Amino acid sequence: MIYCGIDWAERTHDVALVDDTGQLLAKRHITDDAAGYRSLMDLLAEYGDTEETPIPVAIETSRGLLVAVLRAGKRKVFVINPMAAARYRDRHAVSRKKSDPGDALVLANILRTDMHAHRPLPNDSDLARAIAVLARAQQDAVWNRQQVANQLRSPLRTTPPLWRPSPSGTTACADRRPASLTRTQITAALKRAGRKRGIGSDVERLREAFRTDWARQPELVEDALGKQMLALLGQLTAACTAADDLAQAVEEALPRHPDSEIILSFPGLGIQLAARVLAEIGDDRTRFADARGLKAYAGASPVTRASGKKSNITRRWVKNNRLNHAGYLWAFSAITASPGAKAHYRRRRDDHGDWHAAGQRNLFNRMLGQLHHCLKNRQLFDEHTAFPTPQAPAPAVA
């Protein structure tokens, strides 16, 4: 059998082919373009690569056009963690030497000796992969929106509310007469900003703030801070627009997936959270052998470290961070959406002494197992089956 290792880079890639004995059969330096991809396919075909028996490939990334080309057909593509590849490198040379062709050879030998210990990329559908792109982008946009909002909050805390945009909207200037703003002007500004509820109370709060005596910055500093805040407001507006547009795209794409009805039947999962969960677990049901693999992948199940007489059980640090973050929000929402989930959470807090985060993580662990079962058996979530009412203890007989 032939094994292929690829050390990828931004513009060029190094390819190595080895056989069952570890003998280097071929190596090649290809470019990251259509000509380079054709050269790679020709090299694989030269050594027996066919549509029915493709040569497996090991690479250190799961993204990019090169991976998309390799995933076409039935080929198994194994993504090797760079830290794991670095440990394998020491098996071939103790001098700690390193080169790109040598790394490609190391990756090929990883498949030759330990293919059973690594997991190929899942065979997800095109729709699932498209939802993954949208859901991750929307999650990134939300994080970016919060980051810009935090950056805007800092100068707002150090500047009195005495500046406003100029009539052209391109600059900011210190306003020495903030009390001149009328209720109508403030109301119109709030409505332009998208406020719909509580406008009356906000208007009165702002009018009172504008009429309060504040410590002042020098005039030039106030003008500079005003321009800084206008720039940050522009970034915040763009971030909000991007998050909303991507959320709309997710809402249009998720219902088209056959697993959406099952995932949305779980308490605490709305469109956006459901899309994030589907994006990370995919729709390849052979990806996880059982629910334990999914729980470990999400970081919901604990990990045991034992040596001799010592044993320590802790939470997982190596996990899918996106799925773990979605699981935290899922468990938090399920506590109020499901009586069974709330009862399970309270038992973990009251009977087992878990802290809030540990109780939510345990609830997330249980609901992940339920999700794996429902997806595997094509069943909707059922509250009474998922959280049966515990039986009261039988009275002692005298």
Side-chain angles (χ1 to χ4, degrees):
M1 187 172 180
I2 308 300
Y3 308 91
C4 175
I6 301 178
D7 184 70
W8 72 281
E10 184 175 349
R11 293 184 175 88
T12 60
H13 316 291
D14 286 279
V15 183
L17 296 179
V18 300
D19 59 14
D20 287 325
T21 64
Q23 179 68 34
L24 177 62
L25 300 178
K27 61 180 182 180
R28 186 166 296 182
H29 190 74
I30 64 172
T31 54
D32 188 49
D33 53 23
Y37 301 154
R38 283 194 298 269
S39 176
L40 173 61
M41 293 296 106
D42 293 342
L43 176 64
L44 295 177
E46 181 181 346
Y47 285 88
D49 182 81
T50 63
E51 184 177 353
E52 296 300 325
T53 59
I55 294 176
V57 175
I59 193 170
E60 292 178 320
T61 181
S62 61
R63 298 177 176 87
L65 288 176
L66 175 61
V67 176
V69 170
L70 292 171
R71 294 184 69 179
K74 301 179 181 180
R75 186 188 317 280
K76 290 185 178 181
V77 178
F78 294 80
V79 178
I80 309 298
N81 189 293
M83 294 181 63
R87 300 302 182 272
Y88 276 101
R89 190 185 303 126
D90 294 338
R91 297 172 56 181
H92 297 269
V94 297
S95 61
R96 305 186 69 83
K97 66 178 182 179
K98 182 187 182 303
S99 66
D100 293 341
D103 287 348
L105 180 60
V106 168
L107 290 170
N109 278 301
I110 289 176
L111 292 188
R112 181 178 65 86
T113 59
D114 294 324
M115 182 188 292
H116 63 280
H118 297 276
R119 182 182 299 164
L121 284 176
N123 188 25
D124 292 331
S125 65
D126 292 343
L127 178 57
R129 293 165 64 183
I131 292 174
V133 171
L134 293 173
R136 290 169 182 167
Q138 199 275 336
Q139 190 176 29
D140 290 337
V142 170
W143 289 342
N144 182 53
R145 180 180 64 189
Q146 186 60 51
Q147 183 180 18
V148 176
N150 292 339
Q151 293 175 359
L152 179 60
R153 184 174 181 268
S154 179
L156 284 175
R157 286 176 56 85
T158 59
T159 308
L162 303 177
W163 70 275
R164 66 180 180 183
S166 65
S168 62
T170 58
T171 61
C173 57
D175 187 357
R176 302 294 172 180
R177 294 170 287 99
S180 63
L181 293 175
T182 65
R183 288 186 175 86
T184 302
Q185 290 174 320
I186 299 176
T187 300
L190 291 175
K191 289 182 177 179
R192 285 196 302 270
R195 293 291 184 91
K196 296 181 180 180
R197 294 180 296 180
I199 293 180
S201 60
D202 286 341
V203 169
E204 297 303 323
R205 177 175 59 82
L206 291 174
R207 279 175 57 83
E208 182 180 356
F210 290 154
R211 286 164 172 76
T212 303
D213 291 333
W214 296 86
R216 302 295 300 271
Q217 298 271 12
E219 183 175 354
L220 288 177
V221 176
E222 285 186 354
D223 291 344
L225 288 170
K227 294 175 182 179
Q228 177 194 15
M229 285 184 274
L230 275 181
L232 290 173
L233 278 173
Q235 295 181 34
L236 183 59
T237 300
C240 293
T241 302
D244 293 342
D245 291 345
L246 289 168
Q248 180 63 33
V250 170
E251 292 178 3
E252 295 173 357
L254 181 64
R256 294 159 48 193
H257 197 279
D259 290 345
S260 62
E261 184 180 5
I262 297 175
I263 299 177
L264 289 171
S265 67
F266 277 75
L269 282 181
I271 290 289
Q272 301 302 324
L273 269 184
R276 294 178 188 179
V277 171
L278 177 61
E280 302 310 322
I281 68 175
D283 57 3
D284 182 3
R285 298 283 80 89
T286 63
R287 182 179 185 180
F288 302 102
D290 51 29
R292 291 183 301 175
L294 175 58
K295 294 175 181 179
Y297 177 71
S301 61
V303 61
T304 302
R305 304 179 186 275
S307 177
K309 297 181 179 180
K310 295 182 179 180
S311 179
N312 186 28
I313 301 177
T314 61
R315 66 187 181 96
R316 292 180 182 268
W317 293 96
V318 179
K319 57 187 181 296
N320 184 311
N321 291 322
R322 290 183 181 273
L323 181 56
N324 188 266
H325 181 267
Y328 181 87
L329 300 178
W330 178 14
F332 183 81
S333 301
I335 291 174
T336 56
S338 166
K342 183 176 182 179
H344 178 86
Y345 169 78
R346 289 313 319 174
R347 282 196 300 271
R348 297 298 308 182
R349 293 295 306 273
D350 300 336
D351 299 342
H352 297 270
D354 285 353
W355 289 60
H356 170 70
Q360 280 198 182
R361 188 162 54 248
N362 188 277
L363 175 60
F364 174 44
N365 183 66
R366 177 164 180 172
M367 299 191 76
L368 263 184
Q370 297 167 358
L371 177 62
H372 181 271
H373 172 82
C374 290
L375 289 174
K376 183 178 180 180
N377 296 280
R378 311 305 302 171
Q379 297 176 356
L380 297 179
F381 175 84
D382 181 78
E383 176 78 18
H384 301 291
T385 304
F387 299 101
T389 304
Q391 297 292 331
V397 178

